[in-house]
Every structure is written in C-alpha cells, then in structure tokens.
Amino acid sequence: MTYQLPTPARPLNIGTRGSLLALAQANEVRDRLAAAFDLPFEAFTIVVIKTTGDKIIDRPLKEIGGKGLFTREIEAALVDGSIDIAVHSMKDMPTLQPEGLLIDTYLPREDWRDAFISPHLKSIAELPEGAVVGTSSLRRRAQVKLRRPDLEVVEFRGNLQTRLKKLDDGVAEATFLAMAGLNRLQMDDVPQAAVHPDDMLPAIAQGAIGVERREDDSRAAEMLSAIHDRKTGEQLAAERAFLATLDGSCETPIAGLAELNGSEMRLRGQVLRPDGSDAIGDDVTCAISDGAAAGEAMARKLLAEAGPGFFDWRE
C-alpha cells in the first residue's frame, strides 16, 4: 500500500446530496470502504451539499437545466478539494464529466425496475379513464402516454417523501418511483408494485450508485477499486454508450437496460417522443465485452430509423 489510509483525525470526505436516499447511498459507500479496509466509521465524513436542483422544486427540470443541476455543486467541491469523493445516483449523471473528474467505481446494482405507487391500484392498466398520474420524469411521462393516452400526467417534483405526501394529498391517483430507492430506504410500507421492463423500460443506469473522484487522486482510485462491482460496470458501459451516442441527457425520454446472462448481454433501448405519441426501440444480444459497442450501434440504428422531426426535443 503506497498511500495513507484515512483516520478519524484525517477523514476521507464523502460528498452527497442531502435527501434521505442520497444519504443512504453515501452511507453504503462509507460502510463498504470501512469494511474493505477495516476502518472505523469515524475515518469518514459525510459532507452534505445542497444543489440547485434541490433548491428549485416548483418547475420541471427541463426548464432549469436538466438533472446536471443535481451534480454541479458537488463536482465543484470535488474539483476544489472540499471533498475527496462524490456519491451519485447514476441515472442522474450526464454522460460527460468535468475535466479532471472520473467515475469508474460502481456498487452492486439494486433493482432497476420502476415501481407503480398507488394507495388503491396495482398497475397502470387498473387506472380509470382520465385518471391523473404524477411524475417529474420525461421518460415515464412519455411511456405512460404511449400506453394510456387517456391519462392526465402532472408534474411531480421533490424527493421521495415529498412525492408520497402529494399522493396522500390527492394531487394524483398514482405515481412512479424507482424500486431501488424504496429498497434502499426499506420502505416496505409504501403501496408498490414493480413494473416489468417489458411494460416500462427503466432509465439508463437506474438502480446504480457511482462514485466520482479526481483523476489524479491515486489514493481514492486504489481504495475505490476495492468496492467496485464489475458486473454493474459492464451493464452501465453499454447503457451509457447508448445514451451518449443519442446525445441525450438524463432528462430526455430515453430508456435502456443491459442484462447479463453468462458471457452474454441482452441490451434493450427505447426513445420516445415527449408526448408519448410514438416510440422506437431495439433489442439485441451480444458478448459482454462488446456491450459499449452494441450500445453505440443501437443508438445509431435508431437515429437512422427515426422519421423527420422525431428528435426535435434535442434542439
């Protein structure tokens, strides 16, 4: 070992957003590092950073700059050395990092499915005609409208607890959350039903936690390598290559999922019009080692197949 491990006197600073889910994810990273190096929790400090995306909750993300607003302040703290590593939900991450920063560590992926949340119903199919559904996700909005054009979809911003309260207040009859978040917070009491990927393909990298570091920080690189999950990395290499080639941010109606089976990978991708009036997709199987190339090729195929104006949302 060529570096000094953190101590309670000189802790490793872990940057994160302040929501309950973000804190749970940061604590999981801390716990895994502590276990890997037999360190006390006091050798790590969780640093909460309020982001612009957390401060503005009354407007859709697309109007204020997209989900990059959930990462900018955290990445600025990483660049200036205020924190040593940053913990992110990978579905919130743009495909490009600021110069000098790198994400090459992923924890084992949680359940990637969406969860249908309703006090009385179990699925989209059970919603009565014209029912109101709340979501802040363009992807989910488009997928719901594609399947059920009769439904009204309203904006549902805020953290997990805020969205659940809106549901209790009758703002909508149903909403969607990530199964991963519910599992990490052990919210078994929330009325939930997992949505099969055949019915609603998840967001790129949904359920995955990534850890960002400075490229020149060899200590962070060596420590994080001890907790990196290779299978999650293989899945995300394919999914994020698909997203990057489409030139899509995480606040665009794009879905994708890579599943591993032995030495093979099944990769599915979907792009939708924001109003849910149309969708195009593909489904391929390839060697795991070819996942990133398959993601790029799938994106290029969909770009070629799309009709005039299909990608107007990118402008």
Side-chain angles (χ1 to χ4, degrees):
M1 189 176 295
T2 59
Y3 56 89
Q4 184 176 6
L5 288 171
T7 66
R10 300 186 66 180
L12 185 82
N13 294 316
I14 303 174
T16 178
R17 294 168 60 194
S19 71
L20 290 178
L21 179 56
L23 290 171
Q25 295 177 164
N27 285 329
E28 183 176 346
V29 171
R30 179 204 61 189
D31 294 351
R32 289 178 180 272
L33 286 172
F37 295 95
D38 194 23
L39 295 171
F41 289 162
E42 292 77 15
F44 305 89
T45 300
I46 305 296
V47 181
V48 174
I49 299 171
K50 189 108 174 181
T51 69
T52 302
D54 294 314
K55 298 171 186 175
I56 304 174
I57 62 172
D58 59 346
R59 283 180 285 163
L61 290 172
K62 62 182 179 180
E63 294 182 5
I64 57 176
K67 287 189 177 177
L69 293 175
F70 289 120
T71 62
R72 291 174 189 168
E73 286 86 351
I74 296 175
E75 289 177 328
L78 192 54
V79 169
D80 70 23
S82 301
I83 58 175
D84 298 302
I85 59 175
V87 180
H88 302 287
S89 294
M90 285 306 299
K91 70 182 182 66
D92 291 339
M93 293 302 292
T95 53
L96 296 176
Q97 274 65 62
E99 185 176 355
L101 300 184
L102 179 67
I103 300 179
D104 58 358
T105 300
Y106 306 108
L107 301 193
R109 194 174 191 176
E110 246 288 359
D111 192 330
W112 53 70
R113 295 174 296 177
D114 289 298
F116 177 83
I117 310 295
S118 174
H120 312 293
L121 306 173
K122 297 296 184 182
S123 69
I124 299 174
E126 292 185 14
L127 287 165
E129 185 173 354
V132 177
V133 176
T135 179
S136 62
S137 163
L138 278 182
R139 171 189 62 88
R140 289 171 178 152
R141 175 187 294 267
Q143 288 173 323
V144 167
K145 293 296 287 185
L146 179 70
R147 185 172 173 181
R148 289 286 304 275
D150 61 290
L151 298 178
E152 180 184 353
V153 184
V154 298
E155 184 69 21
F156 237 46
R157 285 287 313 281
N159 61 28
L160 190 149
Q161 288 71 28
T162 300
R163 297 184 204 188
L164 292 175
K165 185 178 185 305
K166 288 182 178 180
L167 203 61
D168 289 339
D169 291 342
V171 177
E173 294 189 44
T175 188
F176 296 91
L177 297 169
M179 286 294 300
L182 295 170
N183 291 344
R184 288 189 174 112
L185 292 176
Q186 300 180 346
M187 301 186 72
D188 298 334
D189 57 322
V190 174
Q192 58 190 271
V195 183
H196 195 281
D198 289 347
D199 295 322
M200 181 174 277
L201 203 61
I204 300 296
Q206 186 158 293
I209 296 172
V211 187
E212 192 172 23
R213 63 175 176 86
R214 293 182 291 274
E215 285 184 355
D216 60 1
D217 188 340
S218 58
R219 180 181 75 157
E222 291 190 45
M223 289 188 68
L224 291 173
S225 67
I227 65 170
H228 173 63
D229 184 71
R230 176 181 55 82
K231 291 184 178 180
T232 301
E234 291 167 342
Q235 289 178 300
L236 266 58
E239 293 176 24
R240 284 172 62 80
F242 174 69
L243 182 67
T245 306
L246 284 171
D247 192 27
S249 72
C250 39
E251 185 53 28
T252 52
I254 297 173
L257 177 63
E259 298 173 276
L260 307 184
N261 182 18
S263 62
E264 291 187 331
M265 171 186 292
R266 179 189 182 188
L267 177 63
R268 284 178 279 178
Q270 183 184 48
V271 187
L272 305 100
R273 290 186 185 271
D275 62 2
S277 60
D278 196 10
I280 53 176
D282 200 8
D283 185 338
V284 302
T285 298
C286 65
I288 290 175
S289 58
D290 295 332
E296 180 179 346
M298 179 181 290
R300 295 193 184 284
K301 179 182 177 183
L302 296 186
L303 286 168
E305 289 180 358
F310 193 97
F311 288 94
D312 284 349
W313 47 261
R314 298 196 305 173
E315 298 176 357

PDB file of all heavy atoms in Angstrom, residues 207-238:
ATOM      1  N   GLY A 207     -30.959   2.395 -10.581  1.00  0.00           N
ATOM      2  CA  GLY A 207     -30.594   1.437  -9.548  1.00  0.00           C
ATOM      3  C   GLY A 207     -29.112   1.350  -9.258  1.00  0.00           C
ATOM      4  O   GLY A 207     -28.698   0.611  -8.363  1.00  0.00           O
ATOM      5  N   ALA A 208     -28.288   2.103  -9.989  1.00  0.00           N
ATOM      6  CA  ALA A 208     -26.838   2.023  -9.819  1.00  0.00           C
ATOM      7  C   ALA A 208     -26.295   3.245  -9.089  1.00  0.00           C
ATOM      8  O   ALA A 208     -26.696   4.376  -9.362  1.00  0.00           O
ATOM      9  CB  ALA A 208     -26.145   1.889 -11.174  1.00  0.00           C
ATOM     10  N   ILE A 209     -25.375   3.009  -8.160  1.00  0.00           N
ATOM     11  CA  ILE A 209     -24.661   4.064  -7.442  1.00  0.00           C
ATOM     12  C   ILE A 209     -23.256   4.166  -8.020  1.00  0.00           C
ATOM     13  O   ILE A 209     -22.548   3.164  -8.144  1.00  0.00           O
ATOM     14  CB  ILE A 209     -24.571   3.758  -5.939  1.00  0.00           C
ATOM     15  CG1 ILE A 209     -25.958   3.726  -5.300  1.00  0.00           C
ATOM     16  CG2 ILE A 209     -23.684   4.776  -5.221  1.00  0.00           C
ATOM     17  CD1 ILE A 209     -25.950   3.239  -3.857  1.00  0.00           C
ATOM     18  N   GLY A 210     -22.849   5.381  -8.370  1.00  0.00           N
ATOM     19  CA  GLY A 210     -21.496   5.611  -8.864  1.00  0.00           C
ATOM     20  C   GLY A 210     -20.723   6.513  -7.918  1.00  0.00           C
ATOM     21  O   GLY A 210     -21.308   7.344  -7.221  1.00  0.00           O
ATOM     22  N   VAL A 211     -19.413   6.333  -7.885  1.00  0.00           N
ATOM     23  CA  VAL A 211     -18.551   7.155  -7.048  1.00  0.00           C
ATOM     24  C   VAL A 211     -17.566   7.904  -7.942  1.00  0.00           C
ATOM     25  O   VAL A 211     -16.833   7.292  -8.725  1.00  0.00           O
ATOM     26  CB  VAL A 211     -17.778   6.312  -6.012  1.00  0.00           C
ATOM     27  CG1 VAL A 211     -17.021   7.230  -5.050  1.00  0.00           C
ATOM     28  CG2 VAL A 211     -18.729   5.400  -5.237  1.00  0.00           C
ATOM     29  N   GLU A 212     -17.589   9.218  -7.825  1.00  0.00           N
ATOM     30  CA  GLU A 212     -16.762  10.093  -8.651  1.00  0.00           C
ATOM     31  C   GLU A 212     -15.531  10.532  -7.868  1.00  0.00           C
ATOM     32  O   GLU A 212     -15.594  10.748  -6.654  1.00  0.00           O
ATOM     33  CB  GLU A 212     -17.588  11.309  -9.065  1.00  0.00           C
ATOM     34  CG  GLU A 212     -16.975  12.176 -10.153  1.00  0.00           C
ATOM     35  CD  GLU A 212     -17.935  13.246 -10.646  1.00  0.00           C
ATOM     36  OE1 GLU A 212     -18.862  13.606  -9.884  1.00  0.00           O
ATOM     37  OE2 GLU A 212     -17.775  13.715 -11.781  1.00  0.00           O
ATOM     38  N   ARG A 213     -14.417  10.663  -8.566  1.00  0.00           N
ATOM     39  CA  ARG A 213     -13.163  11.062  -7.935  1.00  0.00           C
ATOM     40  C   ARG A 213     -12.366  11.953  -8.870  1.00  0.00           C
ATOM     41  O   ARG A 213     -12.695  12.092 -10.054  1.00  0.00           O
ATOM     42  CB  ARG A 213     -12.332   9.827  -7.585  1.00  0.00           C
ATOM     43  CG  ARG A 213     -11.898   9.011  -8.806  1.00  0.00           C
ATOM     44  CD  ARG A 213     -10.985   7.870  -8.435  1.00  0.00           C
ATOM     45  NE  ARG A 213     -10.630   7.036  -9.573  1.00  0.00           N
ATOM     46  CZ  ARG A 213      -9.620   7.285 -10.404  1.00  0.00           C
ATOM     47  NH1 ARG A 213      -8.859   8.365 -10.234  1.00  0.00           N
ATOM     48  NH2 ARG A 213      -9.367   6.474 -11.421  1.00  0.00           N
ATOM     49  N   ARG A 214     -11.301  12.549  -8.337  1.00  0.00           N
ATOM     50  CA  ARG A 214     -10.372  13.273  -9.182  1.00  0.00           C
ATOM     51  C   ARG A 214      -9.465  12.279  -9.896  1.00  0.00           C
ATOM     52  O   ARG A 214      -8.997  11.302  -9.289  1.00  0.00           O
ATOM     53  CB  ARG A 214      -9.537  14.258  -8.354  1.00  0.00           C
ATOM     54  CG  ARG A 214     -10.351  15.416  -7.767  1.00  0.00           C
ATOM     55  CD  ARG A 214      -9.478  16.392  -6.986  1.00  0.00           C
ATOM     56  NE  ARG A 214      -8.974  15.788  -5.759  1.00  0.00           N
ATOM     57  CZ  ARG A 214      -9.642  15.764  -4.602  1.00  0.00           C
ATOM     58  NH1 ARG A 214     -10.860  16.303  -4.516  1.00  0.00           N
ATOM     59  NH2 ARG A 214      -9.101  15.198  -3.531  1.00  0.00           N
ATOM     60  N   GLU A 215      -9.198  12.513 -11.156  1.00  0.00           N
ATOM     61  CA  GLU A 215      -8.391  11.583 -11.944  1.00  0.00           C
ATOM     62  C   GLU A 215      -6.999  11.389 -11.356  1.00  0.00           C
ATOM     63  O   GLU A 215      -6.428  10.295 -11.435  1.00  0.00           O
ATOM     64  CB  GLU A 215      -8.268  12.071 -13.392  1.00  0.00           C
ATOM     65  CG  GLU A 215      -9.523  11.882 -14.226  1.00  0.00           C
ATOM     66  CD  GLU A 215      -9.313  12.280 -15.662  1.00  0.00           C
ATOM     67  OE1 GLU A 215      -8.212  12.797 -15.985  1.00  0.00           O
ATOM     68  OE2 GLU A 215     -10.225  12.076 -16.474  1.00  0.00           O
ATOM     69  N   ASP A 216      -6.440  12.445 -10.764  1.00  0.00           N
ATOM     70  CA  ASP A 216      -5.066  12.368 -10.258  1.00  0.00           C
ATOM     71  C   ASP A 216      -4.981  11.932  -8.798  1.00  0.00           C
ATOM     72  O   ASP A 216      -3.897  11.971  -8.199  1.00  0.00           O
ATOM     73  CB  ASP A 216      -4.356  13.710 -10.438  1.00  0.00           C
ATOM     74  CG  ASP A 216      -5.051  14.858  -9.698  1.00  0.00           C
ATOM     75  OD1 ASP A 216      -6.071  14.605  -9.027  1.00  0.00           O
ATOM     76  OD2 ASP A 216      -4.568  16.005  -9.799  1.00  0.00           O
ATOM     77  N   ASP A 217      -6.086  11.504  -8.204  1.00  0.00           N
ATOM     78  CA  ASP A 217      -6.088  11.085  -6.807  1.00  0.00           C
ATOM     79  C   ASP A 217      -5.863   9.579  -6.748  1.00  0.00           C
ATOM     80  O   ASP A 217      -6.807   8.786  -6.799  1.00  0.00           O
ATOM     81  CB  ASP A 217      -7.415  11.464  -6.140  1.00  0.00           C
ATOM     82  CG  ASP A 217      -7.404  11.238  -4.637  1.00  0.00           C
ATOM     83  OD1 ASP A 217      -6.553  10.463  -4.155  1.00  0.00           O
ATOM     84  OD2 ASP A 217      -8.261  11.820  -3.942  1.00  0.00           O
ATOM     85  N   SER A 218      -4.602   9.170  -6.627  1.00  0.00           N
ATOM     86  CA  SER A 218      -4.274   7.744  -6.640  1.00  0.00           C
ATOM     87  C   SER A 218      -4.789   7.032  -5.396  1.00  0.00           C
ATOM     88  O   SER A 218      -5.159   5.850  -5.458  1.00  0.00           O
ATOM     89  CB  SER A 218      -2.760   7.558  -6.768  1.00  0.00           C
ATOM     90  OG  SER A 218      -2.080   8.198  -5.701  1.00  0.00           O
ATOM     91  N   ARG A 219      -4.845   7.712  -4.255  1.00  0.00           N
ATOM     92  CA  ARG A 219      -5.356   7.069  -3.046  1.00  0.00           C
ATOM     93  C   ARG A 219      -6.825   6.718  -3.220  1.00  0.00           C
ATOM     94  O   ARG A 219      -7.247   5.586  -2.937  1.00  0.00           O
ATOM     95  CB  ARG A 219      -5.185   7.975  -1.825  1.00  0.00           C
ATOM     96  CG  ARG A 219      -5.708   7.307  -0.541  1.00  0.00           C
ATOM     97  CD  ARG A 219      -5.591   8.167   0.685  1.00  0.00           C
ATOM     98  NE  ARG A 219      -6.583   9.230   0.737  1.00  0.00           N
ATOM     99  CZ  ARG A 219      -6.991   9.829   1.857  1.00  0.00           C
ATOM    100  NH1 ARG A 219      -6.465   9.471   3.032  1.00  0.00           N
ATOM    101  NH2 ARG A 219      -7.887  10.795   1.825  1.00  0.00           N
ATOM    102  N   ALA A 220      -7.625   7.668  -3.688  1.00  0.00           N
ATOM    103  CA  ALA A 220      -9.044   7.389  -3.904  1.00  0.00           C
ATOM    104  C   ALA A 220      -9.220   6.275  -4.931  1.00  0.00           C
ATOM    105  O   ALA A 220     -10.073   5.387  -4.766  1.00  0.00           O
ATOM    106  CB  ALA A 220      -9.765   8.652  -4.362  1.00  0.00           C
ATOM    107  N   ALA A 221      -8.397   6.301  -5.989  1.00  0.00           N
ATOM    108  CA  ALA A 221      -8.511   5.281  -7.034  1.00  0.00           C
ATOM    109  C   ALA A 221      -8.267   3.887  -6.462  1.00  0.00           C
ATOM    110  O   ALA A 221      -9.022   2.938  -6.737  1.00  0.00           O
ATOM    111  CB  ALA A 221      -7.530   5.575  -8.156  1.00  0.00           C
ATOM    112  N   GLU A 222      -7.216   3.730  -5.669  1.00  0.00           N
ATOM    113  CA  GLU A 222      -6.886   2.417  -5.113  1.00  0.00           C
ATOM    114  C   GLU A 222      -7.921   1.963  -4.088  1.00  0.00           C
ATOM    115  O   GLU A 222      -8.302   0.786  -4.051  1.00  0.00           O
ATOM    116  CB  GLU A 222      -5.489   2.454  -4.486  1.00  0.00           C
ATOM    117  CG  GLU A 222      -4.377   2.594  -5.517  1.00  0.00           C
ATOM    118  CD  GLU A 222      -3.007   2.388  -4.901  1.00  0.00           C
ATOM    119  OE1 GLU A 222      -2.830   1.433  -4.127  1.00  0.00           O
ATOM    120  OE2 GLU A 222      -2.110   3.191  -5.200  1.00  0.00           O
ATOM    121  N   MET A 223      -8.388   2.882  -3.260  1.00  0.00           N
ATOM    122  CA  MET A 223      -9.388   2.494  -2.269  1.00  0.00           C
ATOM    123  C   MET A 223     -10.698   2.099  -2.936  1.00  0.00           C
ATOM    124  O   MET A 223     -11.320   1.090  -2.585  1.00  0.00           O
ATOM    125  CB  MET A 223      -9.614   3.642  -1.287  1.00  0.00           C
ATOM    126  CG  MET A 223      -8.460   3.895  -0.331  1.00  0.00           C
ATOM    127  SD  MET A 223      -8.865   5.114   0.946  1.00  0.00           S
ATOM    128  CE  MET A 223     -10.108   4.211   1.908  1.00  0.00           C
ATOM    129  N   LEU A 224     -11.135   2.884  -3.911  1.00  0.00           N
ATOM    130  CA  LEU A 224     -12.413   2.612  -4.556  1.00  0.00           C
ATOM    131  C   LEU A 224     -12.388   1.325  -5.371  1.00  0.00           C
ATOM    132  O   LEU A 224     -13.417   0.658  -5.535  1.00  0.00           O
ATOM    133  CB  LEU A 224     -12.821   3.788  -5.441  1.00  0.00           C
ATOM    134  CG  LEU A 224     -13.204   5.075  -4.697  1.00  0.00           C
ATOM    135  CD1 LEU A 224     -13.428   6.214  -5.673  1.00  0.00           C
ATOM    136  CD2 LEU A 224     -14.444   4.855  -3.836  1.00  0.00           C
ATOM    137  N   SER A 225     -11.217   0.952  -5.875  1.00  0.00           N
ATOM    138  CA  SER A 225     -11.129  -0.284  -6.652  1.00  0.00           C
ATOM    139  C   SER A 225     -11.522  -1.498  -5.811  1.00  0.00           C
ATOM    140  O   SER A 225     -11.960  -2.517  -6.347  1.00  0.00           O
ATOM    141  CB  SER A 225      -9.718  -0.466  -7.212  1.00  0.00           C
ATOM    142  OG  SER A 225      -8.776  -0.693  -6.165  1.00  0.00           O
ATOM    143  N   ALA A 226     -11.416  -1.374  -4.483  1.00  0.00           N
ATOM    144  CA  ALA A 226     -11.741  -2.486  -3.592  1.00  0.00           C
ATOM    145  C   ALA A 226     -13.245  -2.712  -3.478  1.00  0.00           C
ATOM    146  O   ALA A 226     -13.680  -3.791  -3.051  1.00  0.00           O
ATOM    147  CB  ALA A 226     -11.143  -2.241  -2.212  1.00  0.00           C
ATOM    148  N   ILE A 227     -14.056  -1.723  -3.831  1.00  0.00           N
ATOM    149  CA  ILE A 227     -15.516  -1.871  -3.692  1.00  0.00           C
ATOM    150  C   ILE A 227     -16.235  -1.822  -5.037  1.00  0.00           C
ATOM    151  O   ILE A 227     -17.471  -1.852  -5.087  1.00  0.00           O
ATOM    152  CB  ILE A 227     -16.102  -0.801  -2.741  1.00  0.00           C
ATOM    153  CG1 ILE A 227     -15.926   0.604  -3.318  1.00  0.00           C
ATOM    154  CG2 ILE A 227     -15.466  -0.906  -1.357  1.00  0.00           C
ATOM    155  CD1 ILE A 227     -16.700   1.679  -2.536  1.00  0.00           C
ATOM    156  N   HIS A 228     -15.484  -1.771  -6.136  1.00  0.00           N
ATOM    157  CA  HIS A 228     -16.102  -1.688  -7.463  1.00  0.00           C
ATOM    158  C   HIS A 228     -16.745  -3.010  -7.850  1.00  0.00           C
ATOM    159  O   HIS A 228     -16.185  -4.089  -7.639  1.00  0.00           O
ATOM    160  CB  HIS A 228     -15.040  -1.324  -8.511  1.00  0.00           C
ATOM    161  CG  HIS A 228     -15.534  -1.377  -9.920  1.00  0.00           C
ATOM    162  ND1 HIS A 228     -16.543  -0.563 -10.391  1.00  0.00           N
ATOM    163  CD2 HIS A 228     -15.177  -2.177 -10.976  1.00  0.00           C
ATOM    164  CE1 HIS A 228     -16.770  -0.840 -11.665  1.00  0.00           C
ATOM    165  NE2 HIS A 228     -15.959  -1.807 -12.037  1.00  0.00           N
ATOM    166  N   ASP A 229     -17.967  -2.928  -8.410  1.00  0.00           N
ATOM    167  CA  ASP A 229     -18.684  -4.110  -8.876  1.00  0.00           C
ATOM    168  C   ASP A 229     -18.549  -4.206 -10.395  1.00  0.00           C
ATOM    169  O   ASP A 229     -19.090  -3.372 -11.131  1.00  0.00           O
ATOM    170  CB  ASP A 229     -20.165  -4.035  -8.480  1.00  0.00           C
ATOM    171  CG  ASP A 229     -20.916  -5.301  -8.861  1.00  0.00           C
ATOM    172  OD1 ASP A 229     -20.682  -6.333  -8.215  1.00  0.00           O
ATOM    173  OD2 ASP A 229     -21.717  -5.250  -9.810  1.00  0.00           O
ATOM    174  N   ARG A 230     -17.854  -5.221 -10.863  1.00  0.00           N
ATOM    175  CA  ARG A 230     -17.548  -5.349 -12.288  1.00  0.00           C
ATOM    176  C   ARG A 230     -18.813  -5.514 -13.134  1.00  0.00           C
ATOM    177  O   ARG A 230     -18.929  -4.913 -14.214  1.00  0.00           O
ATOM    178  CB  ARG A 230     -16.615  -6.546 -12.493  1.00  0.00           C
ATOM    179  CG  ARG A 230     -16.303  -6.841 -13.961  1.00  0.00           C
ATOM    180  CD  ARG A 230     -15.402  -8.054 -14.092  1.00  0.00           C
ATOM    181  NE  ARG A 230     -15.956  -9.222 -13.437  1.00  0.00           N
ATOM    182  CZ  ARG A 230     -16.879 -10.027 -13.976  1.00  0.00           C
ATOM    183  NH1 ARG A 230     -17.354  -9.770 -15.200  1.00  0.00           N
ATOM    184  NH2 ARG A 230     -17.336 -11.077 -13.323  1.00  0.00           N
ATOM    185  N   LYS A 231     -19.763  -6.315 -12.673  1.00  0.00           N
ATOM    186  CA  LYS A 231     -20.967  -6.569 -13.472  1.00  0.00           C
ATOM    187  C   LYS A 231     -21.765  -5.288 -13.693  1.00  0.00           C
ATOM    188  O   LYS A 231     -22.267  -5.040 -14.796  1.00  0.00           O
ATOM    189  CB  LYS A 231     -21.826  -7.638 -12.799  1.00  0.00           C
ATOM    190  CG  LYS A 231     -21.206  -9.027 -12.828  1.00  0.00           C
ATOM    191  CD  LYS A 231     -22.150 -10.063 -12.224  1.00  0.00           C
ATOM    192  CE  LYS A 231     -21.548 -11.459 -12.312  1.00  0.00           C
ATOM    193  NZ  LYS A 231     -22.453 -12.491 -11.733  1.00  0.00           N
ATOM    194  N   THR A 232     -21.888  -4.482 -12.651  1.00  0.00           N
ATOM    195  CA  THR A 232     -22.590  -3.207 -12.813  1.00  0.00           C
ATOM    196  C   THR A 232     -21.858  -2.324 -13.815  1.00  0.00           C
ATOM    197  O   THR A 232     -22.484  -1.670 -14.661  1.00  0.00           O
ATOM    198  CB  THR A 232     -22.720  -2.488 -11.464  1.00  0.00           C
ATOM    199  OG1 THR A 232     -23.434  -3.317 -10.557  1.00  0.00           O
ATOM    200  CG2 THR A 232     -23.466  -1.166 -11.619  1.00  0.00           C
ATOM    201  N   GLY A 233     -20.533  -2.317 -13.731  1.00  0.00           N
ATOM    202  CA  GLY A 233     -19.743  -1.539 -14.686  1.00  0.00           C
ATOM    203  C   GLY A 233     -19.980  -1.980 -16.115  1.00  0.00           C
ATOM    204  O   GLY A 233     -20.057  -1.145 -17.033  1.00  0.00           O
ATOM    205  N   GLU A 234     -20.110  -3.281 -16.330  1.00  0.00           N
ATOM    206  CA  GLU A 234     -20.352  -3.804 -17.683  1.00  0.00           C
ATOM    207  C   GLU A 234     -21.730  -3.386 -18.188  1.00  0.00           C
ATOM    208  O   GLU A 234     -21.896  -3.018 -19.366  1.00  0.00           O
ATOM    209  CB  GLU A 234     -20.208  -5.321 -17.674  1.00  0.00           C
ATOM    210  CG  GLU A 234     -18.776  -5.778 -17.445  1.00  0.00           C
ATOM    211  CD  GLU A 234     -18.664  -7.263 -17.119  1.00  0.00           C
ATOM    212  OE1 GLU A 234     -19.685  -7.875 -16.735  1.00  0.00           O
ATOM    213  OE2 GLU A 234     -17.556  -7.817 -17.263  1.00  0.00           O
ATOM    214  N   GLN A 235     -22.719  -3.439 -17.313  1.00  0.00           N
ATOM    215  CA  GLN A 235     -24.056  -3.006 -17.706  1.00  0.00           C
ATOM    216  C   GLN A 235     -24.071  -1.527 -18.078  1.00  0.00           C
ATOM    217  O   GLN A 235     -24.621  -1.126 -19.115  1.00  0.00           O
ATOM    218  CB  GLN A 235     -25.043  -3.247 -16.562  1.00  0.00           C
ATOM    219  CG  GLN A 235     -25.381  -4.698 -16.293  1.00  0.00           C
ATOM    220  CD  GLN A 235     -26.326  -4.830 -15.114  1.00  0.00           C
ATOM    221  OE1 GLN A 235     -26.009  -4.422 -14.000  1.00  0.00           O
ATOM    222  NE2 GLN A 235     -27.491  -5.401 -15.351  1.00  0.00           N
ATOM    223  N   LEU A 236     -23.468  -0.703 -17.235  1.00  0.00           N
ATOM    224  CA  LEU A 236     -23.509   0.744 -17.456  1.00  0.00           C
ATOM    225  C   LEU A 236     -22.677   1.169 -18.648  1.00  0.00           C
ATOM    226  O   LEU A 236     -22.990   2.173 -19.301  1.00  0.00           O
ATOM    227  CB  LEU A 236     -23.071   1.487 -16.195  1.00  0.00           C
ATOM    228  CG  LEU A 236     -24.239   1.906 -15.275  1.00  0.00           C
ATOM    229  CD1 LEU A 236     -25.063   0.711 -14.834  1.00  0.00           C
ATOM    230  CD2 LEU A 236     -23.738   2.679 -14.083  1.00  0.00           C
ATOM    231  N   ALA A 237     -21.633   0.424 -18.975  1.00  0.00           N
ATOM    232  CA  ALA A 237     -20.840   0.755 -20.154  1.00  0.00           C
ATOM    233  C   ALA A 237     -21.709   0.706 -21.401  1.00  0.00           C
ATOM    234  O   ALA A 237     -21.627   1.581 -22.277  1.00  0.00           O
ATOM    235  CB  ALA A 237     -19.660  -0.207 -20.281  1.00  0.00           C
ATOM    236  N   ALA A 238     -22.579  -0.301 -21.491  1.00  0.00           N
ATOM    237  CA  ALA A 238     -23.470  -0.432 -22.643  1.00  0.00           C
ATOM    238  C   ALA A 238     -24.577   0.606 -22.622  1.00  0.00           C
ATOM    239  O   ALA A 238     -24.850   1.284 -23.627  1.00  0.00           O
ATOM    240  CB  ALA A 238     -24.065  -1.844 -22.675  1.00  0.00           C
TER     241      ALA A 238
END
